[in-house]
């Protein structure tokens, strides 16, 4: 991993510190919420909701590790009541935790969406494998460029990672249209569609944040924008997306339960 640049202002350090703290709080509270809701959905959707909570639990753990690594990399102090000064301690800032997190959680995110849509079994298995492997490949191809300072190398790996990225986004935006239209109610179809498009929207944030260091920004400002951008995108892609998965599972559970109560 590349060493942190020197010269962080207190505002730049604090923005990253607060963004990482926000990530911990959002992911941790989402995990508790999802697992508390398990008894409120039917058995068909408990696996999807369990995976949703696993995703945010994994993210919570990694955000704690990133937050601690960020804190250990700096000394923040004020002398004689003056402004806070930020200095590097020499300890490394390990941002590789993000890629370990994404390698685990991104395939699971897509699998939970497929499961909650309750497609035919063969289609569920096929899509889960295809989207899971494509998303893992996307993350794996992005990491070599993330740790490079050479812009040409960063662009090379960015282009490679965009190949599986485009496949996944196309499948979410277009390939699942028919499955969405077959959901058991207009509300369920609307929630499934919202979950798909939220994934597409949040995912499209990542390539732009990745390019921050390739479009003229450098030093502390680039690091701050990168960390804040990734943190906000993660909360959207995991915690907020998970709420939509829960809402869809609840809606479909209610429909199934009401169907069982109808007289024969």
């Amino acid at each position: 991993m590349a060493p942190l640049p020197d010269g962080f202002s207190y505002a730049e350090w604090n923005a990253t510190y607060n963004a990482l703290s926000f990530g911990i709080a959002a992911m941790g509270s989402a995990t508790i919420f999802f697992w508390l809701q398990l008894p409120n959905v039917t058995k068909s959707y408990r696996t999807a909701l369990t995976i949703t909570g696993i995703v945010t639990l994994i993210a919570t753990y990694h955000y704690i590790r990133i937050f601690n690594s960020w804190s250990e990399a700096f000394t923040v102090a004020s002398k004689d009541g003056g402004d806070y000064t930020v200095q590097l301690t020499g300890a490394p800032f390990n941002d590789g935790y993000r890629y370990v997190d994404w390698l685990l959680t991104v395939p699971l995110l897509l699998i939970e969406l497929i499961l909650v849509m309750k497609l035919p079994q063969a289609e569920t298995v096929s899509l889960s494998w295809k989207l899971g492997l494509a998303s893992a490949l996307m993350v794996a191809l992005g990491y070599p460029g993330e740790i490079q300072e050479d812009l040409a190398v960063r662009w090379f790996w960015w282009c490679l990672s965009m190949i599986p990225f485009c496949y996944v986004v196309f499948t979410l935006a277009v390939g699942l249209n028919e499955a969405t239209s077959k959901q058991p109610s207009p509300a369920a179809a609307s929630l499934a569609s919202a979950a798909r498009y939220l994934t597409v929207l949040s995912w499209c944030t990542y390539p732009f944040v990745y390019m921050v260091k390739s479009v003229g920004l450098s030093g502390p400002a680039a690091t701050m924008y990168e960390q804040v951008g990734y943190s906000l995108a993660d909360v959207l892609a995991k915690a907020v997306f998970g709420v939509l998965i829960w809402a869809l599972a609840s809606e479909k559970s209610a429909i199934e339960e009401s169907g069982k109560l109808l007289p024969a």
Side-chain angles (χ1 to χ4, degrees), residues 186-255:
S190 177
L191 286 166
S193 193
R196 288 165 50 214
Y197 290 119
L198 175 65
T199 304
V200 171
L201 175 65
S202 61
W203 275 37
C204 286
T205 306
Y206 291 96
F208 289 104
V209 176
Y210 188 98
M211 290 191 296
V212 160
K213 294 179 180 177
S214 306
V215 293
L217 282 175
S218 60
T223 300
M224 177 199 68
Y225 285 123
E226 184 178 62
Q227 293 302 318
V228 172
Y230 281 149
S231 298
L232 295 177
D234 274 350
V235 170
L236 279 176
K238 296 183 176 78
V240 177
F241 173 78
V243 171
L244 289 176
I245 294 296
W246 160 77
L248 179 56
S250 296
E251 169 68 15
K252 295 178 75 172
S253 295
I255 293 170

Side-chain angles (χ1 to χ4, degrees), residues 117 119 123 171-183 196:
M117 291 183 75
L119 305 172
E123 189 176 357
T171 301
L172 290 172
V174 179
L176 290 176
N177 271 336
E178 183 179 352
T180 301
S181 66
K182 292 180 179 178
Q183 293 302 299
R196 288 165 50 214

Side-chain angles (χ1 to χ4, degrees), residues 10 22 66 76 107 114 120 129 142 161 212 214:
Y10 177 66
F22 174 68
I66 298 169
V76 181
I114 299 303
W129 274 107
S161 67
V212 160
S214 306

Side-chain angles (χ1 to χ4, degrees), residues 20-176:
L20 296 174
S21 179
F22 174 68
I24 295 171
M27 303 297 187
S29 58
T31 301
I32 295 169
F33 173 77
F34 298 144
W35 285 350
L36 286 176
Q37 290 299 313
L38 281 172
N40 298 328
V41 300
T42 59
K43 187 178 179 180
S44 302
Y45 306 107
R46 286 175 188 166
T47 299
L49 201 56
T50 299
I51 292 174
T52 306
I54 290 173
V55 165
T56 50
L57 179 64
I58 293 170
T60 302
Y61 167 76
H62 284 110
Y63 264 86
I64 291 171
R65 298 301 300 267
I66 298 169
F67 178 86
N68 289 341
S69 184
W70 181 261
S71 299
E72 292 165 3
F74 297 92
T75 298
V76 181
S78 172
K79 288 187 178 180
D80 303 322
D83 293 338
Y84 285 103
T85 58
V86 180
Q87 294 181 327
L88 295 174
T89 62
F93 172 55
N94 187 0
D95 198 28
Y97 290 124
R98 283 198 186 278
Y99 278 82
V100 175
D101 175 82
W102 292 338
L103 195 60
L104 295 170
T105 60
V106 171
L108 289 175
L109 282 169
L110 297 173
I111 290 170
E112 73 189 56
L113 175 60
I114 299 303
L115 287 175
V116 82
M117 291 183 75
K118 207 175 180 181
L119 305 172
Q121 185 175 0
E123 189 176 357
T124 296
V125 172
S126 175
L127 275 174
S128 295
W129 274 107
K130 289 177 182 177
L131 294 180
L133 289 174
S135 60
L137 180 62
M138 173 191 71
V139 174
L141 289 173
Y143 182 66
E146 186 71 72
I147 59 176
Q148 293 290 329
E149 292 297 316
D150 187 315
L151 294 185
V153 177
R154 286 182 66 85
W155 278 110
F156 171 77
W157 288 106
W158 182 87
C159 290
L160 284 183
S161 67
M162 288 301 290
I163 297 171
F165 172 89
C166 289
Y167 166 74
V168 173
V169 168
F170 176 81
T171 301
L172 290 172
V174 179
L176 290 176

